[in-house]
Amino acid sequence: MEERVYLSSPTMHQDEMRFIQEAFDTNWVAPLGPNVDQFEKEVAEYLDVRASLALVSGTAALHLIVRLAGVSRDDIVLCSDLTFAATVNPVSYENGTQVFIDSERDSWNMDPLALEKALKYYDGNSYERRKPKAVMLAHLYGSPAKLDEIIALCEKYDVPLMEDAAESLGATYKGKQTGGFGVHAAISFNGNKIITTSGGGMLLSSDEEAVRKARFWSTQARDPAPWYQHSELGYNYRMSNVVAGIGRGQLMWLDEHKRLKKEIYLRYLSGLQGLPLSMNPYLKESEPNFWLSCALINQGCKVTPMDVLNRLNEHNIEGRPLWKPMHLQPYYAKNAFFTANEEDVGADLFSRGFCLPSDIKMTPETQERVIEIIRSCF
Ligand SMILES: *Cc1c(COP(=O)(O)O)cnc(C)c1O
């Protein structure tokens, strides 16, 4: 069997171990400690955001963001539709209701035209049309969304923007890091992300008071009393000091990972030329982190994403379909979905797109082999 080629697997260096060793040497093996404090500070500095909170997962960060947005029973959140379920599930944790917003074709992210339709519809004039509590925007596969347009709409309709930057750590829009545009933002350090702590996440915000509140909820919401007293519902969501050590080591390599991911994208771009497909697009005013390279097979071509993925799999190469849009998920069958016009862009992208192996340990020679196998499908 040929050696396994991964979609995106952890890439460790020597620096992670140094910080882990420090945690062991000083016995800071707990969900707090110097690595956690430093990791929070270093990520906030990298992203140029005021406050940060290290957590057990990106999903935990998204949950706390939904709570900070004040979402409770039946409140509406306007959500990216073409994304991983973790972007939108936390709305349900707080008994809110997701309304899904279709994608545009320039970056595959939330379409401002569809967003405006939803914002116009939910005008607050009735219970049925109650005003949304937030917009939850994901930057798909590391490519920033149309932030200028979306921010302008959020301001016009006075709905706060929340960013799911789980996939886009290190990506910029007009020179500014994603995760710094929303009122609050979440990033993830899950095993397949551009840098990883095995599992972990962080909440980012310009609002220090909000982050203090989230920190309180994330540590079981203990009131300042001599005994265990609780006036609010809490969670055990804090990142461990050992895990944060991995993160500190990884952060030193984020720029290098980005560079390698971009090389992979560019190699696919030239290697797949001439085939009836295109690569995942990005906005001119953005610099993606190129977390995953993706392909979109041309309309009318008989080859399907599963044809290519099955062929890759025969060679022990991992690819995968695009995220299945949330409005097509059985769990969310009853939720509303807004498109810019009659066309369902998310469903179309899903039917023709797939993710290519984008592991930064993949050599150029291995990638050439992947490209040849893809070429043989057409
Ligand atoms: C990975 C991911 C998350 C969840 O992060 P975890 O750390 O795995 O909980 C959320 N949203 C998107 C878009 C993701 O890709």
Side-chain angles (χ1 to χ4, degrees):
M1 197 60 168
E2 291 149 295
E3 200 184 333
R4 180 86 170 148
V5 180
Y6 291 98
L7 190 76
S8 180
S9 75
T11 302
M12 291 294 130
H13 310 276
Q14 290 307 308
D15 300 295
E16 298 84 359
M17 224 35 171
R18 202 152 46 78
F19 295 113
I20 294 173
Q21 192 61 50
E22 216 169 273
F24 274 68
D25 291 345
T26 53
N27 205 34
W28 278 109
V29 183
L32 78 168
N35 277 340
V36 177
D37 297 343
Q38 279 307 312
F39 189 38
E40 284 177 345
K41 216 174 123 219
E42 288 158 7
V43 171
E45 271 167 18
Y46 186 93
L47 296 179
D48 197 22
V49 295
R50 198 168 299 148
S52 54
L53 177 66
L55 298 162
V56 292
S57 67
T59 308
L62 288 159
H63 182 196
L64 294 177
I65 284 173
V66 166
R67 226 178 127 179
L68 284 173
V71 174
S72 64
R73 186 162 297 283
D74 295 342
D75 280 336
I76 282 169
V77 178
L78 306 179
C79 298
S80 288
D81 174 63
L82 184 60
T83 184
F84 183 41
T87 306
V88 309
N89 283 344
V91 174
S92 294
Y93 302 168
E94 295 299 321
N95 302 301
T97 301
Q98 301 84 348
V99 168
F100 299 117
I101 310 297
D102 200 11
S103 294
E104 33 80 359
R105 295 189 182 276
D106 303 331
S107 76
W108 295 2
N109 289 302
M110 185 184 281
D111 187 337
L113 296 173
L115 175 62
E116 180 148 38
K117 270 196 178 172
L119 286 164
K120 273 189 181 143
Y121 179 84
Y122 294 100
D123 59 8
N125 283 332
S126 65
Y127 186 72
E128 146 87 350
R129 296 183 164 213
R130 57 206 176 277
K131 187 176 156 174
K133 274 283 157 79
V135 169
M136 180 62 83
L137 172 71
H139 304 288
L140 199 68
Y141 302 128
S143 296
K146 294 189 171 173
L147 280 157
D148 277 354
E149 292 88 335
I150 290 169
I151 289 167
L153 287 169
C154 285
E155 282 169 2
K156 180 175 171 193
Y157 291 88
D158 189 29
V159 176
L161 175 68
M162 309 291 161
E163 265 181 294
D164 179 353
E167 299 178 359
S168 66
L169 178 58
T172 58
Y173 178 86
K174 295 191 171 173
K176 183 175 158 171
Q177 293 279 338
T178 59
F181 290 90
V183 177
H184 310 300
I187 53 178
S188 166
F189 308 110
N190 194 6
N192 62 4
K193 299 301 199 284
I194 189 155
I195 60 168
T196 180
T197 61
S198 69
M202 207 174 277
L203 191 163
L204 311 161
S205 182
S206 53
D207 182 348
E208 289 171 77
E209 195 47 46
V211 172
R212 248 193 299 281
K213 189 82 204 188
R215 193 178 300 270
F216 168 75
W217 290 331
S218 74
T219 48
Q220 309 284 21
R222 279 181 67 184
D223 291 343
W227 40 79
Y228 282 81
Q229 177 174 297
H230 306 276
S231 311
E232 291 187 64
L233 183 62
Y235 318 94
N236 183 5
Y237 273 177
R238 277 294 259 167
M239 180 181 277
S240 128
N241 192 60
V242 177
V243 159
I246 309 177
R248 290 185 71 191
Q250 285 271 287
L251 188 61
M252 299 168 67
W253 291 85
L254 175 54
D255 288 336
E256 175 65 3
H257 287 196
K258 259 169 58 177
R259 191 182 68 76
L260 294 168
K261 291 277 190 187
K262 184 172 184 176
E263 279 188 358
I264 290 171
Y265 180 93
L266 293 175
R267 235 177 264 128
Y268 279 127
L269 194 63
S270 63
L272 297 174
Q273 244 169 27
L275 294 181
L277 55 74
S278 54
M279 297 282 296
N280 48 329
Y282 60 92
L283 305 175
K284 278 192 298 291
E285 52 271 55
S286 75
E287 177 67 15
N289 68 2
F290 298 99
W291 172 54
L292 290 187
S293 291
C294 305
L296 186 70
I297 299 170
N298 289 357
Q299 245 149 359
C301 178
K302 285 194 180 60
V303 180
T304 68
M306 285 318 296
D307 292 339
V308 182
L309 294 175
N310 289 336
R311 180 78 62 87
L312 289 172
N313 192 46
E314 285 165 18
H315 293 270
N316 207 20
I317 298 166
E318 186 185 16
R320 73 177 172 204
L322 296 192
W323 298 125
K324 183 173 178 178
M326 288 303 114
H327 78 280
L328 299 177
Q329 299 291 346
Y331 187 78
Y332 290 117
K334 291 202 180 71
N335 296 54
F337 172 54
F338 282 80
T339 58
N341 44 52
E342 281 77 66
E343 203 184 10
D344 181 341
V345 174
D348 176 54
L349 294 174
F350 175 64
S351 73
R352 299 191 286 120
F354 59 97
C355 303
L356 296 157
S358 309
D359 196 282
I360 56 174
K361 292 181 293 320
M362 176 171 65
T363 62
E365 294 71 37
T366 301
Q367 192 178 348
E368 285 309 322
R369 194 159 60 82
V370 174
I371 288 168
E372 279 318 307
I373 293 166
I374 295 170
R375 296 197 76 92
S376 76
C377 298
F378 289 86

